[in-house]
Amino acid sequence: MQLPVPQHIAAIVPYPPGKPMDELEREYGITNAIKLASNENPFGPSPKAVVAIGDMLHNLHRYPDGSSYSLTKAVARWIGVAPEEIVLGNGSNEVIEFLVKAFVGAGDAVITSHPSFLMYQKFVQMRGGDNVVIPLKEMDHDLEAINRAISDRTRLIFLDNPNNPTGTLIGRERFARFLADLPESVILVIDEAYVDFVDPDQRIDILSSIRNPDKIPAVVSLRTFSKVFGLAGLRVGFGVMHREVAALLHRVRQPFNINLPAQAGALAALDDLEHYESTLRKTAEGRAWLGKAVSELGCRPYPSYTNFFLIDVGGDATRLYEAMLYKGVIVRSMKAYGYPEFIRITVGTAAENQRFVTALGECRRELGYGRD
Ligand SMILES: *Cc1c(COP(=O)(O)O)cnc(C)c1O
């Protein structure tokens, strides 16, 4: 066999797959492991979504509505735009893919930051595009360097705001200045997966940029049901964008990209403000409690606007990650992201947070970190 694989496909490093929980538990001889590694909602999905999905199951022999009419309308009402300004995806990941498919060809360039969300660069590689990667500056997007990196080949700029994994936020004035300086010929994609966790007073005014693209580039906001709504397993996300951009994305979209239970579940979740609000409240409480508890252990937590944050653990992060695994606590080492002594943790339930702090203290003692 000799596979006719194109160079740009051969060069792709596959997304590192996480091991399933039961497999990890077997391998490490642990039970009741807790996962604080993927920024999921630890409080579970909206109960209303669970009921709506159950009610939908007897219809599984039917194709879903290819336009996701009801969900699109409800999302548009929630955001405050028209349905024509919304494009739903199988996770916001799929909307990233649509953007790259619609606007990037071989030899075109896309600007991203590093470290930030990995998937932007993967989709660009799949298309044979060129990734122009700008290192973070003081753990935040380096907007000046990004602007300098723009060329006439640049099609898209991806910025996650707040940034994953550092949790930093681009404020209103900085964003306005950056946007005003951009050439109109690029598309600026702001991945707002965590914006729900940001105080409304601190959010950038993205809707007016999307809707009035006068002398500024097209702006796209990406949102997801995977985080605050607690529906990561359902795979629903969406983009908010000018209707001309949306019309182009629909050209590269499969007709049934949002499956039947996903349409029903996301629709019901939008109607469950109680779940949404209580997730935000409990996350804020957990973040404050964790920040204090981690500091008391002698680690340095980094300020974050999200449901996760970085912790400087004062020693090799990957060894600590391994040691924590044996105690059934799954965190993420930031070594591969260029922060060898940082872990990233997701805010969990009160009991999970307590267990994490206990394990962190024990593991750092065992490894002899921070003894000075
Ligand atoms: C979690 C996350 C998403 C969500 O992706 P989905 O495909 O909607 O699950 C998107 N962007 C960033 C930066 C994230 O951290």
Side-chain angles (χ1 to χ4, degrees):
M1 179 172 84
Q2 200 176 9
L3 298 176
V5 56
Q7 204 334 39
H8 65 278
I9 299 296
I12 296 174
V13 180
Y15 191 81
K19 275 192 196 142
M21 292 279 271
D22 50 357
E23 185 58 37
L24 267 181
E25 292 188 340
R26 249 196 314 280
E27 196 172 309
Y28 286 83
I30 51 178
T31 48
N32 300 319
I34 57 170
K35 185 173 164 212
L36 302 176
S38 300
N39 305 341
E40 294 149 334
N41 183 334
F43 308 107
S46 146
K48 284 193 183 179
V50 174
V51 171
I53 291 166
D55 289 347
M56 190 50 81
L57 295 181
H58 64 276
N59 272 336
L60 281 182
H61 58 305
R62 301 294 181 196
Y63 281 103
D65 168 17
S67 70
S68 299
Y69 178 84
S70 304
L71 179 58
T72 304
K73 209 166 114 188
V75 166
R77 183 167 344 107
W78 184 55
I79 298 293
V81 297
E84 294 75 22
E85 294 167 291
I86 298 290
V87 174
L88 296 175
N90 186 259
S92 52
N93 268 274
E94 198 190 26
V95 186
I96 299 169
E97 186 174 18
F98 294 158
L99 283 159
V100 175
K101 269 187 179 161
F103 295 107
V104 180
D108 291 339
V110 174
I111 301 177
T112 52
S113 295
H114 181 79
S116 74
F117 196 50
L118 280 177
M119 290 310 297
Y120 314 132
Q121 293 173 25
K122 299 260 181 249
F123 287 125
V124 172
Q125 283 185 296
M126 291 177 205
R127 296 289 287 173
D130 289 336
N131 281 304
V132 176
V133 180
I134 309 298
L136 295 184
K137 189 171 145 193
E138 286 156 20
M139 308 191 93
D140 200 357
H141 295 294
D142 186 346
L143 299 183
E144 290 72 31
I146 288 171
N147 190 319
R148 280 196 302 275
I150 295 171
S151 74
D152 53 10
R153 293 192 302 123
T154 307
R155 300 290 173 261
L156 302 170
I157 301 170
F158 282 102
L159 291 177
D160 43 2
N161 190 46
N163 175 256
N164 179 6
T166 57
T168 51
L169 181 77
I170 304 170
R172 290 187 164 190
E173 277 155 41
R174 241 173 105 221
F175 178 74
R177 253 178 289 135
F178 175 64
L179 185 62
D181 281 348
L182 291 181
E184 286 187 62
S185 57
V186 301
I187 296 175
L188 176 62
V189 185
I190 305 293
D191 185 343
E192 302 195 281
Y194 300 98
V195 79
D196 305 83
F197 296 103
V198 178
D199 183 338
D201 295 340
Q202 294 181 303
R203 296 181 195 170
I204 57 177
D205 181 10
I206 201 154
L207 283 191
S208 72
S209 312
I210 290 171
R211 304 190 94 184
N212 308 301
D214 186 30
K215 299 203 175 69
I216 57 167
V219 175
V220 174
S221 157
L222 300 180
R223 303 285 293 266
T224 180
F225 282 89
S226 298
K227 306 285 154 65
V228 67
F229 287 104
L231 296 174
L234 203 58
R235 312 303 304 127
V236 191
F238 59 94
V240 188
M241 62 202 83
H242 194 277
R243 59 189 71 212
E244 284 179 37
V245 180
L248 289 165
L249 297 205
H250 281 299
R251 293 189 192 187
V252 297
R253 180 177 74 79
Q254 286 188 45
F256 303 120
N257 65 320
I258 313 297
N259 67 58
L260 201 68
Q263 290 188 29
L267 187 63
L270 277 180
D271 198 31
D272 193 351
L273 215 59
E274 199 184 317
H275 173 266
Y276 181 89
E277 301 278 334
S278 89
T279 295
L280 293 184
R281 182 170 37 77
K282 287 187 278 190
T283 304
E285 287 167 8
R287 188 169 64 190
W289 184 88
L290 274 168
K292 193 157 166 286
V294 163
S295 304
E296 282 165 5
L297 287 180
C299 294
R300 203 143 70 93
Y302 268 69
S304 163
Y305 290 86
T306 66
N307 65 338
F308 63 85
F309 57 98
L310 294 185
I311 301 172
D312 180 345
V313 295
D316 184 274
T318 302
R319 283 181 63 212
L320 183 85
Y321 156 83
E322 281 277 333
M324 303 261 311
L325 261 185
Y326 281 102
K327 298 188 190 290
V329 178
I330 307 170
V331 299
R332 196 169 292 253
S333 162
M334 286 289 113
K335 200 168 183 172
Y337 288 75
Y339 301 122
E341 299 201 343
F342 282 69
I343 58 168
R344 191 193 68 193
I345 65 150
T346 310
V347 177
T349 64
E352 288 172 341
N353 296 339
Q354 179 67 65
R355 198 167 144 200
F356 161 76
V357 169
T358 305
L360 179 64
E362 289 171 2
C363 292
R364 287 182 76 243
R365 255 194 316 280
E366 286 164 20
L367 294 170
Y369 290 1
R371 262 194 305 232
D372 40 11

